[in-house]
Amino acid sequence: MYDVWYLGFWDASDVSDSDNTSQVLDDLAKDCSWAQNADNEIVFGWADDLDHNGMAYSNGFYAVGSENPTHPFDWPEKSVVQHEISHNFNAPDHGYFGPYCIMTYFYAYLGVDKWCSDCWNTVFGNIWGLWE
Ligand SMILES: [Zn+2]
Ligand SMILES: [Zn+2]
C-alpha cells in the first residue's frame, strides 16, 4: 500500500538533544533528502530513544519512529509507522482520547490499526491523488 524506505543506517549523532524527536526528524530530512525524489517516496527513520513514539511532517515526506520512547506509553512499532505515515498524508492527531482511530493516541497505544472515516478519506484521498 505504501512505498516506504527503511534505511539501514542514518547518523543522528549530530543532533544536539539526542532524544528530541523533532530535532531528530529534522536531521533525518536533512541527511536523507537524497532518498526522497518523488511524491510517492517517504523516508521513515527508526531511532533508539526519543521523547515521542514518533513524529512526521504533516503533508510531507519524512517520519521517524522510536524503538524505546523515553516515556512509558510505548506503542506497537507497526502502529507508529501507520500513525506517522498518516501524518505524511495529512491526517491530524485526535489527541489522547477521541474517535476509534489510529490517530487517537489511546488507540494507537492499544495497537488499533483502523482509521475513522475522516482520516480514511484524508489518507486515501491523498494516496489516490499521487497516481492520478
Ligand atoms: Zn501524531
Ligand atoms: Zn481519525
Side-chain angles (χ1 to χ4, degrees), residues 94 99 101 103 116 119:
H94 294 312
C101 176
M103 304 313 286
C116 68
C119 292

Side-chain angles (χ1 to χ4, degrees), residues 22 25-26 29 42-43 54-64 83-94 103 119 122-123 126:
S22 120
L25 175 61
D26 288 344
I42 284 172
V43 180
M55 195 173 283
Y57 289 146
S58 187
N59 205 17
F61 301 110
Y62 299 92
V64 291
H83 179 101
E84 301 310 336
I85 290 178
S86 298
H87 283 312
N88 288 148
F89 287 100
N90 215 20
D93 277 317
H94 294 312
M103 304 313 286
C119 292
T122 300
V123 169
N126 277 303

Side-chain angles (χ1 to χ4, degrees), residues 43-102:
V43 180
F44 195 100
W46 284 107
D48 283 340
D49 311 308
L50 297 176
D51 58 4
H52 289 69
N53 281 281
M55 195 173 283
Y57 289 146
S58 187
N59 205 17
F61 301 110
Y62 299 92
V64 291
S66 177
E67 315 252 17
N68 297 295
T70 58
H71 57 68
F73 300 102
D74 187 3
W75 300 355
E77 289 180 359
K78 69 175 177 52
S79 300
V80 174
V81 172
Q82 185 180 347
H83 179 101
E84 301 310 336
I85 290 178
S86 298
H87 283 312
N88 288 148
F89 287 100
N90 215 20
D93 277 317
H94 294 312
Y96 290 95
F97 299 99
Y100 189 74
C101 176
I102 190 160

